[in-house]
Amino acid sequence: MELEITVVDAFTDAVFGGNPAAVIITDEWLSDDLMQSIAAENNLSETAFLVSADASTYQIRWFSPLTEIAFCGHATRASAFVLFNKSPGLTSLKFSAEAVGELLVTKTESGQVQMDFPNTRPERVESIPDTLLAGLSISPEEVYCNSQAYFVIYQSESDVLSVLRDNETLKRLKPRDVVVTARSESRHYDFISRYFWPANGGDEDPVTGSIHTGLAPLWAERLGKKELVAYQASRRGGVLNCVVSGDRVLISGNAAQYLHGSITV
């Protein structure tokens, strides 16, 4: 069987930046084992699989090299890039996912694509897990938590950039991952972060759309503003524009195609 595949770098305007995701569109779902095997072979942080429900609505599932993921922002951005390129006349799309429901994606006047996601604001953790403290080289100022990750607040940007982690220790926090974050010292960004997910996908994720549905409302409250620009400070780096609107978080960013071809399975 031959499948069309596109690899897109999300949350960047040039290849080799942002976070790469593979996108595969099929008429019906492949088996779970096959989708997981393809994702492992791709060895990208996510591979998105899409099945069309109608002309502008797609069911979507996301797989890391290790496991199926409940929600992935950057692979949703990559999927929208592919679908809008296939149908230039479209101005909006809907994705349907079991864990997060319907996700509306629209083209903006600036040329970016804006994704409408659920607000997953984390709650403050009063008793910080010893495993989390042992897994990071710098002690947190505060810690928050939602269903996806522990949110470690640092006092300075330099703490976020220099912190070391012990992946084997952080794996013990499964199913949660770890994001470290601080207010940005750059005039271009409101906050920065790094995302570690040894339990669910790998070492450090380059740019993570889903975690910003928790980071954006957290920083919106701390900074007293609803529109924020975020920078995820991985080696590849990526920029996300965030708007907090009640129980929704709107995230937009650019994308660039790296590869288009076919795979044989």
Side-chain angles (χ1 to χ4, degrees):
M1 177 169 51
E2 198 166 82
L3 300 172
E4 184 179 8
I5 186 171
T6 307
V7 177
V8 177
D9 292 336
F11 299 118
T12 180
D13 55 8
V15 294
F16 309 126
N19 199 354
V23 179
I24 296 173
I25 305 171
T26 55
D27 293 331
E28 56 187 29
W29 291 118
L30 306 174
S31 71
D32 289 4
D33 286 346
L34 180 54
M35 287 190 285
Q36 186 61 71
S37 293
I38 292 170
E41 185 77 5
N42 289 340
N43 200 30
L44 300 170
S45 55
E46 257 87 26
T47 298
F49 294 90
L50 312 180
V51 172
S52 175
D54 58 47
S56 60
T57 304
Y58 287 80
Q59 295 176 298
I60 186 168
R61 294 172 68 181
W62 307 277
F63 286 77
S64 81
L66 298 181
T67 187
E68 184 170 7
I69 300 297
F71 174 35
C72 176
H74 87 275
T76 303
R77 177 63 186 91
S79 299
F81 178 94
V82 172
L83 293 171
F84 281 135
N85 277 1
K86 284 181 174 291
S87 303
L90 283 180
T91 57
S92 66
L93 293 164
K94 282 184 180 178
F95 293 107
S96 176
E98 183 176 348
V100 290
E102 285 197 344
L103 307 172
L104 178 64
V105 180
T106 57
K107 290 180 180 178
T108 67
E109 292 182 0
S110 67
Q112 291 190 339
V113 168
Q114 185 178 76
M115 299 171 289
D116 184 339
F117 292 146
N119 182 324
T120 64
R121 184 192 180 281
E123 299 295 329
R124 186 164 181 175
V125 174
E126 298 300 333
S127 181
I128 302 172
D130 291 339
T131 301
L132 179 60
L133 296 173
L136 298 172
S137 64
I138 300 175
S139 296
E141 188 175 70
E142 298 175 67
V143 175
Y144 291 75
C145 182
N146 67 10
S147 61
Q148 181 177 356
Y150 286 99
F151 292 66
V152 173
I153 310 295
Y154 281 137
Q155 188 171 8
S156 70
E157 184 174 296
S158 62
D159 287 343
V160 172
L161 298 176
S162 63
V163 65
L164 303 176
R165 72 272 183 193
D166 182 328
N167 283 341
E168 291 304 313
T169 300
L170 295 182
K171 276 183 182 180
R172 289 158 46 198
L173 295 169
K174 190 175 183 176
R176 290 184 175 91
D177 298 310
V178 177
V179 59
V180 295
T181 185
R183 184 171 183 169
S184 177
E185 296 163 15
S186 165
R187 63 183 178 86
H188 300 294
Y189 313 117
D190 293 294
F191 65 91
I192 71 166
S193 67
R194 293 171 66 196
Y195 186 75
F196 311 134
W197 65 325
N200 290 296
D203 183 18
E204 178 173 355
D205 198 36
V207 191
T208 316
S210 59
I211 202 64
H212 284 78
T213 65
L215 284 168
L218 182 62
W219 283 106
E221 185 175 289
R222 295 171 77 94
L223 299 178
K225 57 193 302 188
K226 293 185 177 180
E227 298 186 13
L228 307 103
V229 181
Y231 181 68
Q232 191 158 332
S234 66
R235 181 178 59 82
R236 293 173 65 101
V239 178
L240 307 92
N241 296 295
C242 308
V243 178
V244 180
S245 180
D247 65 352
R248 309 298 293 180
V249 176
L250 310 179
I251 297 178
S252 57
N254 294 313
Q257 181 173 304
Y258 169 71
L259 177 150
H260 179 77
S262 62
I263 59 174
T264 302
V265 296

